[in-house]
Amino acid sequence: MGLPNDSGDLSSEIDVDAFRRLFPLRFHERHLAESIRPDARPLGRARDTTIALGAVASANGSALAKIGSTAMLAAIKMEVMTPSKESPDEGCIAIDFHMPPICSPIVRPGRPAEVAPVVSKRLSDTISSSGMIDLKELSLVSGKAAWIGIPGKHSYRLHSSISRVDMMYTAWMQMVLYLMLRYFSAVAALSHLHVPAVSLNDDGKIVLMLEDDGQKLATEPVNKDKRKLTLRSIPFSLTCILHKNYILADPTAEEEYIMETLVTVVLDSTSQLISLYKPGGPVLAYTSAVQDCVALTRQRVKELQKIIDEANSGMEVD
C-alpha cells in the first residue's frame, strides 16, 4: 500500500494540530481560501490592541502597549544637556531599544540583540522625518541648556502557542515583528510626556523647581509650569504580509515565519506617507499591492489614534 504524497490526502487522516505542524503553509492557505485566518480574524483586521499610560512612575512619560501576545514598554526620562553649536535653540530625543532575553529565543543573556541598534535607528529616523516633535520646544536657555528625552524601550513576548516557530526565527524576522509596536508604544509614551518645571539658580545651573514648605524656591523660572509636549503629525504603522494574491494585516509570528514577505507602512495622523519598509521576501510588491497596504494602514491609523485619545482622556479624568 503506497503512502499518499499530497498533504491534501493526509489532511483527512490526521488531526488539525498535527496537520498544522507538518504542513503549515498548506494549513494557512486553506484558511486564506475562505478569507479567514487561524485566529478567526478577517485578512484585513489587526489584533486586539490595548495601552496603559503612566506605567513607569519614575519616568516623565511612559506607556505599556500590547498588540496580540506581544507587549512593549516605553519610558522617557527628561535630562538637561548642553545643546550643540549647530542647533543652539533645540533639544533632542535619544532612542535606545532594549531586547532582554525574556522577549525572544534569539536573544542570549550577556550580549545585546543584534537587531536592537537597527530598531533604534529606524525609530529615530521615523520620529525625525515625521516632524512629530518641534525640538525648539525642548530648548531652555539658548546655547546653554536644553532637554534631552531618553526613551528606554523593552519588548516582551507573552504566552504564545507557537514557541517552536519562534525558536526558528532569523534576526531580520524578529526585527520586523516589532515594527508596528515600537512606533505605537513610543508615540503613546511621548503623548503622556510631561516636561518638568525648571529654573535657573544663582550659579547659572538648571534645577528642578521644588516646593519648600509650600513656597517655590526663589530662583528665576525657565519653565514656569509642568507641561505636556506638543505632538504634530503623529506616525502610526501597520505591517502586512504579501502571499500570492492575499494581503494579511498585522501578522502573527507564525504567519510571518511561514509566508515571509512583509511590508511595513508608516503614515502620520493626516495619512501622509512617512516610511515604507520591505525587508526582502519572495513576493514582489507591485503598485496595486502597496496601495492596498496603504489603504489598510489608513484604517489602522484611525483605530490607533482613537486608542491613544481615549487613554489620554482617561489620564486627564484621573
Side-chain angles (χ1 to χ4, degrees), residues 3-14 19 23 26 30:
L3 293 174
N5 55 12
D6 184 78
S7 61
D9 297 329
L10 283 173
S11 63
S12 60
E13 301 177 16
I14 60 180
F19 182 70
F23 308 102
R26 179 68 174 170
R30 287 196 168 191

Side-chain angles (χ1 to χ4, degrees), residues 54 56-62 76-78 137-138 140 147 189-199 207-211 216 221-230 315-316:
V56 181
S58 59
N60 298 110
S62 62
I76 305 172
K77 190 70 175 176
M78 301 299 290
E137 271 196 57
L138 299 178
L140 292 171
W147 288 114
L190 287 168
S191 73
H192 176 253
L193 177 64
H194 288 78
V195 180
V198 294
S199 59
V207 295
L208 290 175
M209 289 183 67
L210 304 176
E211 292 188 0
K216 290 188 176 180
V222 179
N223 283 344
K224 294 184 178 180
D225 299 301
K226 185 178 180 181
R227 58 184 173 84
K228 295 193 70 173
L229 193 65
T230 303
M315 292 293 292
E316 291 174 2

Side-chain angles (χ1 to χ4, degrees), residues 38-78:
D39 59 6
R41 282 187 293 155
L43 304 190
R45 180 180 298 174
R47 292 167 292 172
D48 291 340
T49 303
T50 59
I51 190 168
L53 300 180
V56 181
S58 59
N60 298 110
S62 62
L64 177 64
K66 181 182 177 185
I67 299 179
S69 60
T70 302
M72 188 171 291
L73 175 65
I76 305 172
K77 190 70 175 176
M78 301 299 290

